[in-house]
Amino acid sequence: MWKGLLVVVGLLVVVALLFGSTYNGLVKLDETVKNAWAEVDNQLKRRMDLIPNLVNTVKGYAKFEQETLEGVIQARANATKMEVNAGDLVNNPEQMQQFMNAQNGLSSALSRLMVVVEKYPDLKANQNFLDLQAQLEGTENRLTVARRNYNETVKSYNTQIRVFPRNFIAGMLGFQQRPYFEAPPEAQQAPVVDFNQ
């Protein structure tokens, strides 16, 4: 009888250790995803902060490009309205899609602005504009890296919550798949902002 009781207690301890270890691993992965999203968000905010200065600099030179400037300002306003934290990504995939659409609209508007700037050689020689252009290019590159890192952590997390036997534990504890940050093909590269051509 004691042997049977010891076997049952031993099995319960093994199950508890397996359960606890799996839970702790999933929590760490979940926090890694949240941290990766925070870096994407940080780079997006940095880009938002650069845009008003860029628009004001261009505005002084490109007086006849009001429609393009207003398009950038409106796209920034739309992108700024949308805030998504990592916890919301699971519960509201439509919000994530709206957020991505707003960010992609801003990227598109910035690309149009950079094309317009080509018409103004004096602007391309302005040191303030060159500094802002370099900062924007660096931010876009960091944003691309942050998006890629976020998607890699989401892939690891999603894989772990779907493999056997973790999928049972993840399901019981409410771990759900995270969406990827998907950008259109043209947004995979930073806008061309080299004005030294």
Side-chain angles (χ1 to χ4, degrees):
M1 180 168 176
W2 287 105
K3 287 182 182 181
L5 185 59
L6 285 175
V7 169
V8 169
V9 168
L11 285 173
L12 289 175
V13 168
V14 168
V15 168
L17 289 174
L18 175 66
F19 190 86
S21 174
T22 300
Y23 175 76
N24 290 339
L26 293 175
V27 167
K28 287 178 185 176
L29 284 171
D30 186 51
E31 289 301 317
T32 303
V33 169
K34 289 177 182 176
N35 185 50
W37 179 256
E39 184 56 28
V40 169
D41 193 43
N42 182 38
Q43 295 306 323
L44 290 171
K45 286 177 181 168
R46 177 176 163 74
R47 178 170 72 168
M48 296 295 175
D49 291 343
L50 288 171
I51 290 171
N53 294 331
L54 184 67
V55 167
N56 286 334
T57 301
V58 172
K59 197 182 289 185
Y61 287 87
K63 293 178 176 68
F64 304 108
E65 305 294 343
Q66 195 63 29
E67 184 178 329
T68 303
L69 293 171
E70 287 174 2
V72 171
I73 292 166
Q74 184 60 48
R76 180 185 182 271
N78 292 342
T80 306
K81 279 192 267 187
M82 295 288 309
E83 288 241 358
V84 176
N85 69 48
D88 294 339
L89 299 177
V90 171
N91 301 326
N92 196 343
E94 295 83 21
Q95 184 182 15
M96 178 64 164
Q97 187 60 49
Q98 291 171 351
F99 179 79
M100 287 187 293
N101 290 342
Q103 294 301 323
N104 294 336
L106 179 57
S107 293
S108 179
L110 283 172
S111 293
R112 285 190 302 276
L113 178 66
M114 295 308 164
V115 169
V116 164
V117 167
E118 286 294 323
K119 299 176 188 176
Y120 301 93
D122 290 344
L123 175 59
K124 294 190 307 185
N126 177 287
Q127 189 59 48
N128 189 33
F129 178 77
L130 292 173
D131 291 344
L132 289 167
Q133 169 247 322
Q135 289 180 43
L136 180 62
E137 182 178 319
T139 299
E140 291 292 340
N141 289 335
R142 284 190 293 277
L143 183 55
T144 298
V145 170
R147 284 175 178 158
R148 183 174 46 244
N149 289 343
Y150 169 77
N151 283 339
E152 288 172 3
T153 60
V154 166
K155 179 182 175 187
S156 295
Y157 171 83
N158 286 346
T159 300
Q160 289 302 311
I161 67 169
R162 292 180 63 211
V163 296
F164 180 82
R166 287 186 192 99
N167 59 339
F168 293 115
I169 296 170
M172 286 189 304
L173 297 175
F175 288 94
Q176 299 174 9
Q177 287 190 47
R178 301 279 186 174
Y180 291 98
F181 192 111
E182 298 171 2
E186 64 271 10
Q188 295 297 325
Q189 299 175 4
V192 177
V193 289
D194 181 13
F195 300 108
N196 299 320
Q197 298 175 358

